[in-house]
Amino acid sequence: MMINEVLQEKLKLLPTKSGVYLMKNKQKQIIYVGKAINLKNRVRQYFQSSRNHSAKTIAMVSHIEDFETIVTDNELEALILECNLIKKHHPKYNIMLRDDKTYPYLKITLNEKYPRIVTTRRLIKDGSRYFGPYTSSTAMKETLNLLRKLFPLRTCKHLADRPCLEYHIKRCLAPCANYIDEDSYKDMVDGVCLFLEGKSEVVEQNLAKKMQMAAQNLDFEKAARLRDQLLAVRKIMEKQKILLDDGDIDAVGIARANYGICIEIFFIRNGKMLGRNQFLLNDEDDDEKNLITAFLKQYYNDAVDIPKEILIPEEIAEIELLQEWLWAEKKKKTKILLPKRGVKKDILMMAKENAEKYLLEQEQKLKDMKARSLGAVYDLQKYLNLPKPPMRMECFDISHIQGSETVASMVVFQDGKPDKNSYRRFKINSTEGKPDDFMSMREVTTRRYVGIDKNDLPDLIIIDGGKGQLSSALEIIREAGHYSVPVVGLAKQFEYIFTEQSSEPVILPRQSDALYLVQSIRDEAHRFAITYHRKLRTKRNKISILDNISGIGAKRRKSLFDHFETIQNIKNASVDELMAVPGISEQIAKSIYNFFRTHELVSSKLK
């Protein structure tokens, strides 16, 4: 295997200690992160005979131009560092969850006098308790609505001086007006936490006891409220499936199909099934052992609710290390088990069956969406009398404010779906300072279509605008010799479609998929143009006002915006607050402060 001189020299200097290695490509991007007990042995394996390497490893090695190693004291430290680096850099060749979005959590703000229950996607060490993550936002919202009915905690961010509407519709007990004491409120918060932990029986017992005490004290209003809560909790408990007599367990099932690979995780708390999540993995070539290991590292690196046991379907090599890692990072003595028989084996099989079912559903959904998208394409061909189905469509939109920062967008739909890799954006130069959509359309179509090969033309060009913009685009496109490609204009009102052949617009049926497709591509072009326009406008505004202050360059300007986020916040900041920004001395802070005060004084006099 041919390797460059840099790699050859670095391989000679590899240490024999444990640690982490980072593989890099020509652009110095990190494409793979791994850990090793012996860095010298592990890293050298990649550059030896490829006979035993997988196709993925061979592809990865072919892109390695450099690597870096970080030595650790032991393998556990290497594992912790590996997890954090993968999370930070998202390397291309590491096994990753396919949709790497942040999932929502339910947060109990225990750091407040009267805690609230809110949703969040950020985990902060602020004394709050977090429950989740929830892959289904709908399921999380249903849980939140249910909890707010059962336990009417406050929802306002700041305590008001008097009860608000939430109190009057019986969705809050008005701690702001001291209508409920701290101990009673704390009991409700404890009930929320117990409920989310799956300890419904404890919640039921506490509610029953408090209801009886309220009745004995002749506080019938409180007793009635507690009775309603108790009935609701019991109804939920009836729906919860009891799988075990006791135990906090996560069961991990894995399935593979044409659509991809799915891992389904069941959450069992106190023996009852509380919920489940599905995760899609991005690497279809790896074996199940590697996939499960990678999933456990990624999922439990962020998870806040760690069970006593994790059931897995395959024996993996790092069980003891992962258990040690969970204790070191999460302070949880968790066992990772591979059950061979009994109820726990049945639970694993159920998780696998549900993963298979999820993949089949997603595959069918994808087929249905594709069929509908293609159906819309063929319908559009029929309604517009096109020579062939518009499998590739390009749509243009112009965005500006009174001619300032004029931009154009080109979005592409392939087979009725967005092809975001083909999107383009244009900064218009011919109309700066004066609003002229016709001239802007002439410029963007010139830059896109003049001089290109006919084979690179789309099946349909859509101009977001009426007859004027359509005429401007047609003039350029036809002069460029492209006579075969259909060009239409989409009026901003009523979605009337203007064609080259007729003075009368084509009106698509209101409920047709073809109309939905045209609206989608128009809205996407508009969104893409507006986003670019705002970016340029924000950049211009940031530069123009701060560059007038002596001592403010690009670095300090960035520090100010990183700290304050907006011009208004910088403007309102005191000298001491400005000095808290890295790189801003007292002298520069005073210059900024005085600049905005002088600027305001001049503006007021001009008025």
Side-chain angles (χ1 to χ4, degrees), residues 4 70 94 102 118 216 299 324-325 354 401 447 486 518 531 547 563:
N4 62 42
I70 304 171
N94 281 96
T102 53
V118 296
Q216 288 171 5
Y299 180 77
E324 190 180 351
W325 168 62
N354 277 269
I401 293 181
R447 290 165 63 179
V518 169
T531 302
D547 276 4
H563 187 86

Side-chain angles (χ1 to χ4, degrees), residues 559-570:
S559 294
L560 285 166
F561 277 101
D562 286 344
H563 187 86
F564 292 106
E565 296 184 349
T566 66
I567 280 285
Q568 192 61 40
N569 290 341
I570 298 172

Side-chain angles (χ1 to χ4, degrees), residues 372 375-381 383 393 497 508-509 511-521:
R372 185 171 181 180
V377 168
Y378 284 102
D379 284 348
L380 191 60
Q381 178 195 11
Y383 290 128
M393 295 183 284
I497 298 177
L508 300 177
Q511 303 300 322
S512 67
D513 287 340
L515 177 61
Y516 176 75
L517 175 60
V518 169
Q519 289 171 333
S520 297
I521 193 169

Side-chain angles (χ1 to χ4, degrees), residues 225-282:
R225 177 169 55 81
L226 291 167
R227 178 204 61 204
D228 294 340
Q229 287 180 311
L230 183 60
L231 291 173
V233 169
R234 284 174 175 167
K235 189 178 289 185
I236 293 163
M237 288 173 62
E238 289 172 5
K239 294 179 180 179
Q240 288 180 326
K241 185 173 182 180
I242 298 175
L243 299 175
L244 298 164
D245 293 334
D246 193 15
D248 293 348
I249 294 172
D250 285 356
V252 178
I254 185 168
R256 193 186 298 258
N258 294 331
Y259 182 77
I261 298 168
C262 174
I263 283 186
E264 178 115 8
I265 181 167
F266 279 3
F267 306 114
I268 300 159
R269 299 296 180 266
N270 292 321
K272 293 188 294 294
M273 174 80 166
L274 281 193
R276 61 177 185 170
N277 277 344
Q278 299 95 5
F279 297 89
L280 295 174
L281 298 182
N282 69 344

Side-chain angles (χ1 to χ4, degrees), residues 22-32 63-68:
L22 300 86
M23 303 300 194
K24 300 180 180 181
N25 62 11
K26 278 184 181 179
Q27 291 75 38
K28 302 298 179 183
Q29 296 171 328
I30 296 171
I31 59 174
Y32 186 77
H63 289 92
I64 296 174
E65 293 293 324
D66 193 6
F67 67 81
E68 178 185 345

Side-chain angles (χ1 to χ4, degrees), residues 312-429:
I312 58 174
E314 293 279 347
E315 189 77 44
I316 60 176
E318 299 180 354
I319 286 181
E320 291 184 5
L321 181 63
L322 287 170
Q323 290 175 165
E324 190 180 351
W325 168 62
L326 287 170
W327 170 247
E329 288 290 287
K330 308 293 182 180
K331 298 297 181 261
K332 282 281 187 175
K333 288 190 176 179
T334 300
K335 293 182 179 179
I336 300 175
L337 305 173
L338 176 63
K340 301 293 185 183
R341 62 184 67 85
V343 178
K344 292 180 180 179
K345 177 67 174 178
D346 294 339
I347 293 170
L348 268 183
M349 292 303 298
M350 188 163 58
K352 180 177 181 177
E353 288 169 4
N354 277 269
E356 291 171 346
K357 180 173 174 287
Y358 179 79
L359 284 174
L360 289 173
E361 289 172 352
Q362 294 303 308
E363 191 171 356
Q364 187 58 49
K365 190 184 292 185
L366 193 65
K367 287 178 180 177
D368 292 344
M369 288 174 59
K370 190 172 181 180
R372 185 171 181 180
S373 298
L374 288 174
V377 168
Y378 284 102
D379 284 348
L380 191 60
Q381 178 195 11
K382 179 181 69 176
Y383 290 128
L384 297 182
N385 196 26
L386 302 175
K388 61 180 181 178
M391 293 302 181
R392 180 183 172 93
M393 295 183 284
E394 295 179 359
C395 180
F396 295 86
D397 186 32
I398 306 294
S399 180
H400 61 82
I401 293 181
Q402 296 181 342
S404 173
E405 302 293 356
T406 304
V407 299
S409 67
M410 181 191 88
V411 301
V412 179
F413 271 43
Q414 184 70 44
D415 300 332
K417 303 298 291 181
D419 179 11
K420 295 193 175 184
N421 291 330
S422 299
Y423 285 14
R424 286 181 62 183
R425 58 191 190 185
F426 305 82
K427 191 174 187 305
I428 302 300
N429 303 311

